[in-house]
Amino acid sequence: MAVQQDPTAAGDRRVGLGDTVVRTARAAGTALAQLASGLGTAFLALLLLLWLAVTAVTSLAGVGLLMAPAVLGALHALAGRERDRLGRRGPEVIAPEPPPTRLRLALVDPTTRRELRWLARHATLGFLLGLLGVLLPLVAVRDSLFPLYWKLLPDDSTATSVGIGDAHAWPDALAVAMLGVGWIAIILGLGPGMARSQARPGRLLLAAGPETDLSLRVAELTATRAAALDAHATELRRIERSLHDGTQNRIVSVTVLVGAARRMVARDPAGADELLERAQSAAEQALAELRTVSRSILPPVLADRGLAGALSGLAAECAVPCRTDVDVPERCAASVEATAYFVIAEALTNIAKHSGAASATITARSRGGRLHLCVEDDGRGGADEDGGSGLTGMRRRIAAHDGTLSLASPPGGPTTLKAELPCGL
């Protein structure tokens, strides 16, 4: 008896296989990007390791002792740069207390010793893995496409990217293409592991050790959490107040007018029609206020047009002529985009109300996993960085994301407000 196959199950398997392929390719692409970014710091680590070796050798003659503080400063700076890189591409690497740059103190400092161990590993294994992360995609493309161009090559040229073999016929060219497929398989299978191997020394050796006092960081995170809760409670109170004082009163007015019109419709149709017209007007106003409140919770324009389109809409609605300069190629987390939107909206509201400016500029940049915002106007200046509920609300929103906010407003202007937020996942 023939067994009939369930087409739904077959479709589910195809969808599951497609999802697996997409996830594997995406993971490999992310790994290659991490390896390539690690190659930059690994190359600097290699140069610094050579400088350190020269300093150690020349210290026997006393000359290297003069270079020791500069070498230690470069080591600490490079370690900080690697922490930032790892933090942008994964969990944050909490930095220890600033290590010393004086040679005598650095020799017994545990942080400096860990950084030296990281330097040796990253300059060797990290550099090799980063180099593979850059070269493997190139040789994979070169060998995979070899059958398309092999006849254009000179007769004595090497066929493969590893410098072995010649291609004299189509089977030889197809064999080179199969080698390219092998390179692709290596990238898909080993790429994520290579990226983890490159990052592991930094995450183990550059993070704060057990001897580091993390009370300051704990206090900072506690304050950030409190600011997030305060911002959330303030936002809920604002929404409740808007609904209670505006929309609810409009709806009550509609109910009263409709009830009065029903009682008048028999004895005074003209008066009832007038009341119904007023009720319709009140209902339209209530609907408009409800839409305003819903947009203030999470503007639909962010989902529809992204941050660039949302900021362009804010600039177009601003009472002061406003120019936008937005370069955010990738989407940030929804909460980050919403915070950026409300910060810019509040800043433009303050410009329109208090600055007396003739023009304003909005700038947004996404660099290194951080979203940089800047709002500048040519108004009278003199804004108080510590005053105003609007600025306090902006500061709380940004603190909830562990971001920063700064305001420069000298008397006579210009006023520049800058904010920095993590792009999130």
Side-chain angles (χ1 to χ4, degrees):
M1 181 177 63
V3 179
Q4 185 176 5
Q5 185 178 6
D6 185 2
T8 304
D12 291 341
R13 284 195 295 271
R14 286 194 296 269
V15 172
L17 179 60
D19 291 341
T20 301
V21 171
V22 170
R23 286 197 300 269
T24 303
R26 187 174 299 170
T30 302
L32 292 179
Q34 292 176 355
L35 289 169
S37 67
L39 179 61
T41 54
F43 179 71
L44 296 177
L46 181 60
L47 296 180
L48 183 56
L49 188 62
L50 296 175
W51 187 15
L52 184 64
V54 171
T55 302
V57 171
T58 56
S59 295
L60 300 177
V63 179
L65 297 176
L66 300 177
M67 294 189 294
V71 174
L72 291 173
L75 172 64
H76 302 328
L78 184 59
R81 181 172 177 174
E82 180 70 2
R83 291 187 191 96
D84 293 339
R85 185 187 75 87
L86 295 175
R88 291 194 299 267
R89 299 184 177 275
E92 179 185 6
V93 179
I94 300 178
E97 294 293 328
T101 55
R102 296 180 60 182
L103 182 60
R104 183 174 300 178
L105 298 176
L107 291 176
V108 297
D109 179 58
T111 299
T112 303
R113 291 181 178 179
R114 288 199 301 271
E115 288 181 352
L116 288 172
R117 290 165 56 194
W118 164 80
L119 181 72
R121 296 187 187 184
H122 197 55
T124 52
L125 178 61
F127 182 80
L128 177 61
L129 291 173
L131 200 59
L132 288 175
V134 173
L135 293 180
L136 280 177
L138 299 179
V139 299
V141 172
R142 189 262 185 203
D143 289 348
S144 299
L145 302 180
F146 186 75
L148 300 180
Y149 62 86
W150 73 282
K151 285 192 173 183
L152 302 177
L153 297 177
D155 294 337
D156 57 348
S157 60
T158 303
T160 64
S161 56
V162 294
I164 300 175
D166 298 322
H168 302 289
W170 278 106
D172 299 332
L174 294 177
V176 177
M178 293 304 297
L179 178 61
V181 174
W183 294 129
I184 295 175
I186 291 175
I187 293 173
L188 295 176
L190 301 182
M194 292 167 57
R196 289 192 297 269
S197 298
Q198 187 192 57
R200 187 177 295 115
R203 295 197 175 278
L204 291 177
L205 298 174
L206 297 184
E211 73 282 353
T212 304
D213 183 13
L214 297 180
S215 58
L216 182 60
R217 179 60 176 166
V218 171
E220 180 182 348
L221 292 176
T222 302
T224 300
R225 181 176 179 272
L229 293 175
D230 288 343
H232 179 66
T234 301
E235 189 67 12
L236 289 179
R237 287 195 298 269
R238 182 191 64 79
I239 295 172
E240 189 276 334
R241 187 167 57 250
S242 298
L243 293 175
H244 181 273
D245 297 343
T247 308
Q248 179 175 294
N249 288 340
R250 299 287 185 188
I251 295 176
V252 170
S253 176
V254 171
T255 304
V256 172
L257 291 173
V258 170
R262 290 182 60 189
R263 290 190 296 269
M264 292 179 60
V265 68
R267 67 176 186 274
D268 188 4
D273 184 67
E274 181 182 353
L275 289 177
L276 289 175
E277 184 177 351
R278 291 170 56 188
Q280 181 180 0
S281 177
E284 292 174 352
Q285 293 177 9
L287 181 60
E289 291 177 356
L290 188 59
R291 287 173 176 169
T292 301
V293 173
S294 65
R295 284 196 299 267
S296 69
I297 298 173
L298 185 62
V301 68
L302 284 175
D304 298 338
R305 300 171 55 193
L307 186 61
L311 296 184
S312 297
L314 284 177
E317 295 174 359
C318 183
V320 176
C322 187
R323 182 177 64 87
T324 61
D325 183 9
V326 181
D327 182 14
V328 185
E330 297 181 356
R331 295 297 299 265
C332 298
S335 59
V336 174
E337 289 187 346
T339 297
Y341 178 89
F342 288 121
V343 167
I344 299 297
E346 183 66 28
L348 293 181
T349 300
N350 291 338
I351 289 174
K353 287 183 178 179
H354 310 296
S355 69
S359 64
T361 303
I362 301 172
T363 305
R365 294 283 186 273
S366 176
R367 296 290 184 272
R370 308 284 291 184
L371 179 62
H372 302 269
L373 305 172
C374 179
V375 182
E376 187 173 4
D377 68 79
D378 57 359
R380 65 177 66 95
D384 186 4
E385 186 173 0
D386 299 323
S389 59
L391 190 62
T392 301
M394 286 191 283
R395 198 179 300 280
R396 286 180 174 176
R397 282 181 178 272
I398 292 175
H401 292 278
D402 212 8
T404 59
L405 178 71
S406 63
L407 176 67
S409 183
T415 297
T416 303
L417 184 141
K418 293 183 178 181
E420 183 178 331
L421 294 162
C423 288
L425 300 178

